[in-house]
Amino acid sequence: MGQRTPLYDAHLAAGGKMVDFGGWDMPIHYGSQLEEHHAVRKGAGMFDVSHMTVVDVAGADAEAYLQKLLANDVARIAPGKALYSGMLNDKGGVVDDLIVYRREKDFRLVVNCATRDKDLDWMEGRSAGFAVDIHERAELGILAVQGPDARQRVAEVLGGKRGQQIGELGLFNFFEAGQWLIARTGYTGEDGVEMILPGEMLPDLWQQLLDAGVHACGLGARDTLRLEAGMNLYGNDMDEGVTPLEAGMGWTLVFNDRGFIGEEALTRQKEHGHDQLVGLVMEGKGVLRAHQKVITANGEGETTSGSFSPTLGVAIALARVPAGSTGKADVEIRGKRQPVRIVRPPFVRNGKSVFKDL
Amino acid sequence: MSNIPAELRYASSHEWIHLEQDGTAVIGITEHAQDAMGDLVYVEMPDVGAELAAGDEAGVVESVKAASDIYAPVAGEVIAINEKLEDEPELVNNDPYNDGWLFKLKVSDPSELENLLDADAYAAQLEAED
């Protein structure tokens, strides 16, 4: 038996099909992954992501420490704003990717569940010389509510001042109310919020949102939604042997001579050139999967994530290919070459196809 | 409990087969198999005319989350495929024993069906896997 979130019983009651996910018993779907996917694209769906790890970083040197620990620069955001960043090793490889929320007096990080132990070790190990307190908040749960109607539904359920604040919240901004942190962030390519709150309060919130017509969605739909949104999955699209430059995360790198971990290696890699992460769209029938061989005019690469796209009705993938690969390519599926187009992700934003040919 | 019609035979790899009066057989995947796969989005069929031996790969069913091979439960020549599945793979989820059939074989040796599981034996296998 794996670890359980405070919503375990609620998942079973909703018909959740439970699977092991990084040591946690989590719902993969509640009957139909496709229906859940479309619910988020067209209405509102919610995901229990309480298996993810919340870590608070406080102390006089918290900012200086995170400026070194993270490849994106927390000094660029004011309190009340969130930032996506990689946490890199000395070779520039991605130890994990995370969201950092800058609060008034400290920072809150949300990191992946499967990497929890190594992340906490890594963070502790880099803290020498900094006056910081790194403190896991295992008692907090996270609920993501996503979709064009998501903020409206959540605002109705919460009502009052919180409801009003959700309506006015800017992208990648957050506010706190008591022990709740409500952020306009997500992993689906739709509008919505992610709410961090005490775990024991999750079941009531879950039930109220169900009653308000929010669809329960499993990790299966979360994966197809994030892939359509062109968002990376740690362990698939990047890991410790892959740098942000090779993983479509160049936009998260801030080089300003502050000396973040991995900066030197990345600077060298920028000079020497590197593979790139692109999108693939299949022309015919079939389904792209991770670890299929990609043959481009510039050489061979490999898919890192792939699936059928429920929104587009064709297979899509993220793939690491040699620099400068454009136009058409072939993917080898069960020994046969299938034609694909090389595109610039994301594939889908706000319910619409948005990819462009490279 | 999964629906396991008594009049069908089953392969341990979760295909069902129904022998018709004329010596042809219809093959599909079981209710349990479609449920385990989740929403199907693509079915790769054998070529009509292909000669398959028992246990040969006959095609692939792919759901949003995974791909799974389909095997010929007995030997025979492929005489038809369910062309509706090209545009409506979800028929396999909605009606695995009727509209969601996969392909038809002209069976080489009908006695090979005796080697397959009956409904009780397949139910017992599912129970053991659970």
Side-chain angles (χ1 to χ4, degrees), chain B residues 33-49:
Chain B
Q34 69 76 22
D35 185 57
M37 291 289 295
D39 295 314
L40 293 192
V41 293
Y42 177 62
V43 182
E44 191 173 292
M45 295 287 200
D47 293 330
V48 172

Side-chain angles (χ1 to χ4, degrees), chain A residues 17 28-29 31-35 220 224 285-289 306-308 310 333-334 336 338, chain B residues 35-42 44 57 60-67 69 85-87 90:
Chain A
K17 181 169 179 173
I28 186 82
H29 64 72
S32 170
Q33 180 175 333
L34 286 177
E35 271 176 33
T224 48
K285 299 248 174 190
V287 185
L288 298 167
R289 306 283 180 193
S307 181
F308 176 80
I333 304 178
R334 294 185 283 277
K336 286 187 205 155
Q338 307 286 352
Chain B
D35 185 57
M37 291 289 295
D39 295 314
L40 293 192
V41 293
Y42 177 62
E44 191 173 292
E57 270 183 36
V60 179
V61 287
E62 299 213 35
S63 69
V64 211
K65 62 185 184 207
D69 291 329
L85 299 183
E86 184 169 344
D87 293 321
E90 64 273 19

Side-chain angles (χ1 to χ4, degrees), chain A residues 206-224:
Chain A
W206 173 271
Q207 188 58 49
Q208 288 173 322
L209 288 167
L210 272 185
D211 294 343
V214 177
H215 212 95
C217 298
L219 296 181
R222 187 168 160 84
D223 191 50
T224 48

Side-chain angles (χ1 to χ4, degrees), chain A residues 82-121:
Chain A
L83 187 75
Y84 174 72
S85 181
M87 176 165 75
L88 313 183
N89 59 31
D90 294 322
K91 292 179 178 165
V94 184
V95 176
D96 202 4
D97 66 330
L98 53 88
I99 294 272
V100 53
Y101 298 96
R102 181 167 201 155
R103 306 166 77 199
E104 289 295 336
K105 290 180 180 158
D106 64 0
F107 295 85
R108 174 162 294 169
L109 277 56
V110 177
V111 305
N112 284 298
C113 85
T115 49
R116 173 195 172 273
D117 295 353
K118 76 159 188 180
D119 286 357
L120 292 173
D121 284 352

Side-chain angles (χ1 to χ4, degrees), chain A residues 35-55:
Chain A
E35 271 176 33
E36 293 162 25
H37 181 104
H38 293 310
V40 171
R41 288 278 177 251
K42 292 170 186 165
M46 59 180 164
F47 307 83
D48 177 16
V49 283
S50 302
H51 57 302
M52 296 188 79
T53 304
V54 181
V55 187

Side-chain angles (χ1 to χ4, degrees), chain A residues 263-284:
Chain A
E263 183 174 336
E264 280 176 36
L266 293 181
T267 304
R268 278 197 303 277
Q269 194 180 41
K270 274 170 79 163
E271 284 165 15
H272 292 120
H274 52 80
D275 287 351
Q276 59 181 3
L277 195 73
V278 296
L280 302 179
V281 174
M282 194 153 170
E283 311 222 281

